Amino acid sequence: MSHNGVNGSPPRGKVLTLDSMNPNVKRVEYAVRGPMVQRAVQIEKELKEGVKKPFTEVIKANIGDAHAMGQKPITFLRQALALCSYPELLDDDKFPEDAKKRARRILQACGGHSIGAYSASQGIEFIRQDVARYIERRDGGIPSNADNIYLSTGASDAIVTMLKLLVSGEGRDRTGVMISIPQYPLYSAALADLAAVQINYYLDEDKCWSLDVTELRRSLTAARQHCNPRALCIINPGNPTGQVQSRQCIEDVIRFAKEEHLFLMADEVYQDNVYADGCEFHSFKKVLFEMGPEYSSTVELASFHSTSKCYMGECGFRGGYMEVINLDPDVKAQLTKLVSVRLCAPVPGQALLDLVVNPPQPDEPSYASFMKERTAVLAALAEKAKLTEEIFNKVPGIRCNPVQGAMYTFPCITLPQKAIDQAKEKGQQPDMFYCMKLLEETGICLVPGSGFGQRDGTYHFRMTILPPTDKLKFVLEKISDFHQQFTVDFS
Amino acid sequence: MSLLRDISPKVRNIRQSELEALRRQACQMKQGVKNLFKDVIDVSWGDPHSAGIKPLSFVRQVLASCFYPQLTNSEKLPVDVRQRAQRLLGACDGGSVGSYTPTGGIAQIQQSISKFISQRDGGVPSFPENIFITSGAQRSLVLFFKMLVNSEGSPKTGVLMPMPSYSIVTMALESLGAAIVPCYLNEEQGWELQVCELHRALQSAKGVCKPIVLYVINPGNPSGYVQSRKSMREVIQFAAEEKLVLMADEVYQDTVFGEGTEFVSYKRVLAEMGPPLSETVELASFHSASKGFMGECGLRGGYVELVNLDPTVMKYVYTLFSTDTCAPVTGQIALDLMVNPPQPGDPSYAVFNKETQSIRAILVHNAKRLLEVLNSLPGFNCQPVNGGLFAFPRLHLPPGALQKAKEVGMPPDIFYCNRLLEEAGLCVSPGCAHGQREGTHYIRICIMTSPDTMEEVLRRLTTFHVKFMNDFS
């Protein structure tokens, strides 16, 4: 039986070929897991096999994975999850009562009292209710209906589901979706897969990556020539840019969406990750409702959240949800049908989400340690955000906007023309060329800006601020040294 | 007017499963909303834990220890549990199950799976890089279909699908814009998948769609057949001749209990057929932790093994699967435990063996009882159930019932199932949700439930059925 990749002989008469496969899939790219990362994994293997390199480990500063970088899970969450998975532990007095109480409640709502049973495809009902209550508390009392909440496999699953609903039409009527440049490449990948038209609007790097309605208007007007724009996606706090949009900006976007009859998709997975003084997270829903019934009863909105980021960093659980506002009932019926095709979101992820929206209260045994752990995580991130901006801005040729929130920095790098030319000769994007060299020489894995989108003629990379402070300092210094050397070498 | 009224036809075209409506009603009845039955029994769905089957102790102990690693120091847990958890945690980035994993899954688990496959298949080599772990086998089915189905293409991409089938897979294909080409299993021959029928189906597709895939499910859902080696060889031969990619859904491979039946994988049969077929037929095999003895549907662990795929196409497969980032780690852990269970001599073996044997005995018992009871009732006829989790008995409804169903504007089997739910508090899946042949009627019953529940199911069904047949004769 032939082994793919080892068998050198050309494939004869295959049914599934580049020509016969789904053409949309060919257009899908996902830089966060792209060639940079694949090379990094290869290098790791080589290191393990004893190959000598100028470094001893690969530092994966490419993906927003907090635990991988040493952040500890929150004790309370893991205790409750252990109780859910092996209920015999409910008799173990080493577990706190508040964790047990929540575990019992979750198990009660599961088929056969097991997290191994399928849940309803929209998600366990009482968890959706708990999420609704959480949203209400967060948004100062604005009502949230559990019926409008869909639990998903990470936020990504819900985002792609909404895009599926939105994309239709042929030719000039094909759905266009506005996405920020730079953006998190899940959006561009999903749009390519759905053969939707990607409409780029540029964030303003000179104004700390803020969003400008004039730019939205420019982009939309141009797009109307060749497609049917229906949706506007915004990530706040931003990925990869880390900006936290002002309340005014959010209002402007909502107003724009209403005027131009656009469906708003608000990716808010980093809502707890806000560090800069003067910055505050404002949920799109809250602002929408505070703008009064003229807006709150008409603008169609989907907001997304997840258990992968914030202080939890539980990426591997694939927990998330979306809340839909002002969805036409017919459309909602279609949405409900669509989610049933994927059966249900992982139940441990649903359980985790329930714990996140129902954290220990001041009068409960786990409260003190929970708050201590949570505060420590967020404080460390804030410190690292500042450190990153400081160190990078000391380097000539690296210009770093303040990391106001999220988990990344997206500095602008000046590349010598020689390097740009050499990259082009190799058929590589210049920032990919830069990042590859960085990886080979230092073992540090970043994602080139070209994977996220950037203005023509500008180059960036995305680095996470997740490594522990000492290691982060090391990484920042290594990159700074590399950049200066690179500039010299290619001058 | 809402923006979204112009929804993609692919979404609109997904036929809402008739089963969904019934299950929703059953759920409402359970909550006492309709106040008729507080103990509605739902055997319409393949969800072992919901139906009262207990999770395996070893699995849950390891899972709990992975969630809360303090437990790996606990003397209360068996040594092999603690060691396995430590090993799995060691394979996770940062030692945490909260980290993302590589696209195809945690390398160590991909290796465990490929080792399992190779051992299962009598030594046929299996390579970890051809294995992709996903959120349930369903996810890898959908992603692999996506590779094959050109949703904007004209003519539509065709998928040959044995009927009866199960609604989730047909809904998935509809959402991708594929054309389903039904291939009717031969009920009288124990639901055999016959080559003549495959040829007929392919003929019928000419000028209608462009068939590129043959999907088979073995053991079968809903029909409980287990294919013979001979039948499988014929299917492989057919796929090779007609240039079809073969997708083998083998999620029920662990529940094979018919006397004299055994499961053999498509990969093994393909290998046994030797070159050139063994080196050219493109095959995707699927397995899952949701079925079998584990029944861990909620943990979402499944995988696909891809064989003989074009290496350049594999690069796109990798990118496509990457957009999910990775499978839930809980599902990945479940898979590791499924393919690498406690062995004789391990501290957990005794309990593990007892639990799995007991589940196996339940299945054998339930299948036997169901066949006994239903085949003795006029108007019911059920083929032997040799594997899987379901029975798919045929209903021979009296003309009066057909008439009444027509009057109320319902397909006859839905009419029957509705009545059954309302009058007996028993929820089963109507045959029309499974693509039955025109003019035939069936119900699907899950047999993976406690023996007491099964007796109650049979009691309620018998009482109801006898009365129904009387009322409408």
Side-chain angles (χ1 to χ4, degrees):
Chain A
M1 200 162 249
S2 74
H3 172 202
N4 296 322
V6 161
N7 182 356
S9 62
R12 283 171 304 142
K14 295 278 179 198
V15 180
L16 182 56
T17 62
L18 287 186
D19 289 328
S20 66
M21 67 179 265
N22 180 354
N24 293 338
V25 172
K26 271 196 275 211
R27 296 203 310 265
V28 172
E29 283 172 345
Y30 191 57
V32 180
R33 289 256 153 147
M36 272 297 307
V37 179
Q38 289 168 45
R39 176 68 191 136
V41 171
Q42 222 181 338
I43 292 177
E44 258 181 336
K45 268 207 199 108
E46 289 171 14
L47 279 173
K48 261 208 189 102
E49 288 160 11
V51 176
K52 278 250 171 291
K53 297 217 177 267
F55 49 87
T56 51
E57 60 163 338
V58 170
I59 300 176
K60 289 194 237 159
N62 57 292
I63 191 164
D65 186 346
H67 293 194
M69 287 286 108
Q71 181 178 307
K72 296 275 158 266
I74 302 290
T75 307
F76 173 78
L77 299 176
R78 293 305 192 84
Q79 284 173 331
L81 287 167
L83 290 164
C84 287
S85 49
Y86 188 52
E88 278 76 345
L89 293 171
L90 289 165
D91 295 329
D92 185 336
D93 55 14
K94 287 208 194 75
F95 286 85
E97 200 46 52
D98 45 7
K100 288 185 181 177
K101 192 169 122 197
R102 284 162 180 76
R104 279 191 200 102
R105 202 160 151 256
I106 289 167
L107 288 173
Q108 195 87 321
C110 296
H113 294 218
S114 163
I115 57 170
Y118 284 121
S119 78
S121 43
Q122 197 173 337
I124 294 174
E125 190 180 342
F126 100 89
I127 296 182
R128 289 188 285 115
Q129 282 162 4
D130 284 353
V131 171
R133 299 295 81 75
Y134 158 82
I135 294 172
E136 284 173 354
R137 286 193 307 268
R138 181 198 68 188
D139 293 345
I142 293 165
S144 174
N145 187 340
D147 215 36
N148 289 336
I149 295 180
Y150 291 77
L151 305 189
S152 51
T153 307
S156 305
D157 168 28
I159 291 167
V160 172
T161 299
M162 276 317 299
L163 288 174
K164 268 207 192 100
L165 268 184
L166 285 160
V167 175
S168 69
E170 315 271 325
R172 266 209 61 175
D173 268 328
R174 191 69 181 161
T175 301
V177 177
M178 298 180 71
I179 63 175
S180 63
I181 298 299
Q183 49 104 36
Y184 171 53
L186 169 73
Y187 289 89
S188 48
L191 295 177
D193 181 31
L194 292 167
V197 177
Q198 180 176 320
I199 303 170
N200 297 335
Y201 67 87
Y202 290 87
L203 299 175
D204 192 340
E205 185 160 16
D206 294 331
K207 297 217 181 93
C208 203
W209 297 113
S210 65
L211 204 160
D212 188 346
V213 178
T214 6
E215 167 56 18
L216 287 179
R217 192 153 280 126
R218 175 213 62 79
S219 143
L220 182 65
T221 311
R224 285 222 160 95
Q225 307 290 316
H226 61 267
C227 71
N228 179 15
R230 300 177 90 199
L232 167 56
C233 300
I234 179 163
I235 307 175
N236 181 48
N239 176 7
T241 48
Q243 91 283 9
V244 177
Q245 298 297 351
S246 68
R247 201 214 149 82
Q248 182 61 52
C249 173
I250 295 174
E251 274 187 30
D252 291 344
V253 170
I254 292 173
R255 209 164 276 123
F256 178 79
K258 182 170 192 321
E259 281 162 13
E260 304 294 345
H261 209 39
L262 295 168
F263 189 95
L264 267 176
M265 288 184 48
D267 181 341
E268 299 175 326
V269 302
Y270 296 99
Q271 55 190 264
D272 288 343
N273 301 109
V274 174
Y275 320 117
D277 284 332
C279 285
E280 207 189 315
F281 170 72
H282 303 279
S283 80
F284 263 81
K285 184 178 174 210
K286 179 167 190 225
V287 177
L288 175 66
F289 275 74
E290 288 174 352
M291 286 169 78
E294 189 201 337
Y295 292 92
S296 60
S297 59
T298 56
V299 174
E300 287 154 87
L301 167 71
S303 314
F304 306 91
H305 195 15
S306 146
T307 56
S308 301
K309 313 297 176 188
C310 296
Y311 66 90
M312 304 82 74
E314 297 282 12
C315 312
F317 277 86
R318 316 308 294 116
Y321 74 79
M322 77 170 157
E323 184 185 24
V324 295
I325 301 296
N326 293 328
L327 224 59
D328 178 305
D330 276 351
V331 173
K332 205 143 170 288
Q334 300 293 328
L335 172 60
T336 307
K337 193 173 66 174
L338 199 54
V339 302
S340 66
V341 176
R342 63 112 168 83
L343 290 163
C344 70
V347 177
Q350 298 188 41
L352 172 60
L353 183 62
D354 191 60
L355 299 166
V356 168
V357 301
N358 265 328
Q361 294 304 296
D363 59 341
E364 288 183 300
S366 303
Y367 180 74
S369 55
F370 172 81
M371 285 308 290
K372 184 158 169 250
E373 289 175 4
R374 179 179 189 273
T375 309
V377 167
L378 293 173
L381 284 169
E383 187 197 326
K384 290 187 278 191
K386 251 217 184 91
L387 185 70
T388 300
E389 188 196 339
E390 264 168 30
I391 293 184
F392 272 156
N393 278 328
K394 288 205 182 96
V395 183
I398 299 185
R399 198 182 74 216
C400 182
N401 267 326
V403 177
Q404 295 176 335
M407 293 175 172
Y408 316 94
T409 180
F410 197 65
C412 184
I413 48 176
T414 311
L415 299 179
Q417 191 58 47
K418 235 188 180 175
I420 296 171
D421 294 338
Q422 210 175 106
K424 294 213 169 122
E425 265 167 51
K426 277 179 140 198
Q428 259 183 343
Q429 292 288 344
D431 44 24
M432 167 71 96
F433 175 72
Y434 176 95
C435 289
M436 270 296 187
K437 206 160 191 296
L438 177 72
L439 174 63
E440 301 287 347
E441 289 178 18
T442 66
I444 297 169
C445 184
L446 308 176
V447 189
S450 44
F452 301 88
Q454 57 205 346
R455 279 204 185 274
D456 271 339
T458 65
Y459 308 106
H460 301 78
F461 59 74
R462 186 188 82 166
M463 187 193 85
T464 70
I465 59 166
L466 296 172
T469 309
D470 285 341
K471 194 170 257 173
L472 182 66
K473 269 201 194 113
F474 172 81
V475 168
L476 291 167
E477 270 147 31
K478 266 269 178 286
I479 295 175
S480 306
D481 292 341
F482 169 84
H483 186 86
Q484 292 176 98
Q485 189 60 48
F486 184 92
T487 307
V488 165
D489 290 345
F490 284 94
S491 54
Chain B
M1 196 198 58
S2 166
L3 281 157
L4 295 189
R5 284 232 163 222
D6 280 335
I7 283 209
S8 160
K10 282 203 292 290
V11 176
R12 281 215 184 276
N13 284 346
I14 304 173
R15 249 180 346 105
Q16 176 70 62
S17 169
E18 295 82 350
L19 176 51
E20 274 291 307
L22 261 173
R23 295 194 74 227
R24 224 172 302 136
Q25 195 184 349
C27 200
Q28 280 181 323
M29 286 170 71
K30 256 190 228 185
Q31 288 162 7
V33 169
K34 291 213 167 173
N35 245 335
L36 286 170
F37 282 95
K38 280 270 158 83
D39 63 337
V40 170
I41 301 178
D42 187 347
V43 282
S44 65
W45 199 235
D47 190 354
H49 295 188
S50 270
I53 303 290
K54 297 267 156 276
L56 300 177
S57 305
F58 178 74
V59 172
R60 292 312 186 81
Q61 287 168 337
V62 173
L63 198 63
S65 309
C66 287
F67 287 162
Y68 189 55
Q70 305 252 53
L71 289 170
T72 57
N73 297 324
S74 166
E75 301 272 297
K76 294 196 196 129
L77 292 175
V79 172
D80 52 352
V81 164
R82 294 185 264 148
Q83 283 172 343
R84 182 69 68 97
Q86 273 165 347
R87 215 175 76 209
L88 287 166
L89 288 169
C92 295
D93 271 348
S96 164
V97 296
S99 295
Y100 285 123
T101 76
T103 295
I106 293 171
Q108 207 182 92
I109 302 181
Q110 283 174 304
Q111 280 154 22
S112 292
I113 293 172
S114 77
K115 194 161 162 231
F116 153 78
I117 291 171
S118 198
Q119 277 172 346
R120 177 198 67 189
D121 294 344
V124 176
S126 168
F127 303 97
E129 58 266 33
N130 290 342
I131 293 170
F132 289 83
I133 303 175
T134 54
S135 188
Q138 195 61 27
R139 186 59 184 156
S140 47
L141 274 167
V142 169
L143 287 174
F144 193 65
F145 275 133
K146 230 191 240 258
M147 289 296 300
L148 295 156
V149 175
N150 183 351
S151 43
E152 320 292 317
S154 185
K156 282 187 173 179
T157 307
V159 177
L160 267 67
M161 169 125 335
M163 294 292 175
S165 177
Y166 65 103
S167 54
I168 295 294
V169 76
T170 47
M171 281 171 86
L173 283 171
E174 281 161 3
S175 79
L176 291 171
I180 297 172
V181 182
C183 310
Y184 293 98
L185 300 170
N186 188 321
E187 184 178 6
E188 286 77 35
Q189 304 294 322
W191 296 110
E192 202 187 1
L193 177 59
Q194 296 178 317
V195 177
C196 51
E197 170 58 17
L198 288 174
H199 279 289
R200 181 214 61 77
L202 198 60
Q203 246 331 96
S204 76
K206 277 200 162 66
V208 178
C209 65
K210 195 158 166 271
I212 186 173
V213 190
L214 168 57
Y215 168 93
V216 293
I217 175 165
N218 181 46
N221 174 8
S223 15
Y225 63 77
V226 177
Q227 274 188 291
S228 67
R229 248 188 177 87
K230 173 167 174 292
S231 172
M232 292 168 77
R233 278 196 294 264
E234 289 171 357
V235 166
I236 291 170
Q237 191 72 46
F238 173 79
E241 281 163 5
E242 304 297 341
K243 297 210 171 314
L244 301 167
V245 172
L246 189 52
M247 286 174 69
D249 186 340
E250 298 175 326
V251 300
Y252 295 104
Q253 59 186 269
D254 289 334
T255 44
V256 171
F257 44 80
E259 261 193 65
T261 39
E262 75 165 326
F263 169 77
V264 62
S265 74
Y266 263 92
K267 185 165 175 228
R268 183 170 189 172
V269 176
L270 179 61
E272 287 170 355
M273 290 169 85
L277 290 177
S278 60
E279 280 165 14
T280 55
V281 173
E282 291 143 271
L283 170 67
S285 313
F286 303 85
H287 195 12
S288 154
S290 300
K291 313 298 172 184
F293 303 114
M294 305 232 328
E296 297 283 8
C297 311
L299 299 187
R300 314 308 300 120
Y303 73 78
V304 59
E305 183 188 24
L306 299 171
V307 175
N308 292 332
L309 252 58
D310 180 326
T312 30
V313 168
M314 282 297 274
K315 292 202 178 78
Y316 289 99
V317 169
Y318 177 85
T319 306
L320 183 63
F321 278 65
S322 295
T323 56
D324 277 356
T325 311
C326 68
V329 179
T330 52
Q332 300 195 37
I333 292 170
L335 283 175
D336 184 77
L337 302 174
M338 179 181 82
V339 301
N340 193 4
Q343 294 302 306
D346 291 347
S348 299
Y349 181 73
V351 171
F352 176 83
N353 191 45
K354 181 157 169 261
E355 289 171 348
T356 50
Q357 287 308 320
S358 142
I359 294 171
R360 196 191 152 75
I362 286 173
L363 276 176
V364 172
H365 167 89
N366 286 352
K368 185 157 164 273
R369 276 297 291 151
L370 185 139
L371 257 81
E372 253 169 31
V373 171
L374 295 191
N375 281 334
S376 70
L377 290 174
F380 258 130
N381 177 250
C382 192
Q383 290 295 314
V385 178
N386 288 320
L389 296 182
F390 305 97
F392 198 60
R394 175 135 180 217
L395 277 171
H396 297 276
L397 297 171
L402 299 176
Q403 182 59 33
K404 182 71 190 205
K406 207 168 176 191
E407 276 168 36
V408 297
M410 268 189 212
D413 46 359
I414 300 226
F415 175 65
Y416 183 94
C417 289
N418 262 325
R419 279 287 182 100
L420 179 63
L421 180 59
E422 280 166 18
E423 291 177 21
L426 179 59
C427 186
V428 300
S429 185
C432 56
H434 301 278
Q436 64 202 353
R437 266 195 202 277
E438 188 79 45
T440 65
H441 309 104
Y442 298 82
I443 55 174
R444 185 187 75 170
I445 303 171
C446 180
I447 57 169
M448 180 75 116
T449 181
S450 74
D452 288 343
T453 306
M454 192 80 238
E455 278 313 308
E456 181 59 18
V457 167
L458 293 172
R459 192 192 64 76
R460 292 190 193 188
L461 185 56
T462 304
T463 310
F464 167 83
H465 183 79
V466 166
K467 179 168 181 295
F468 185 94
M469 295 296 277
N470 256 338
D471 289 350
F472 288 103
S473 57

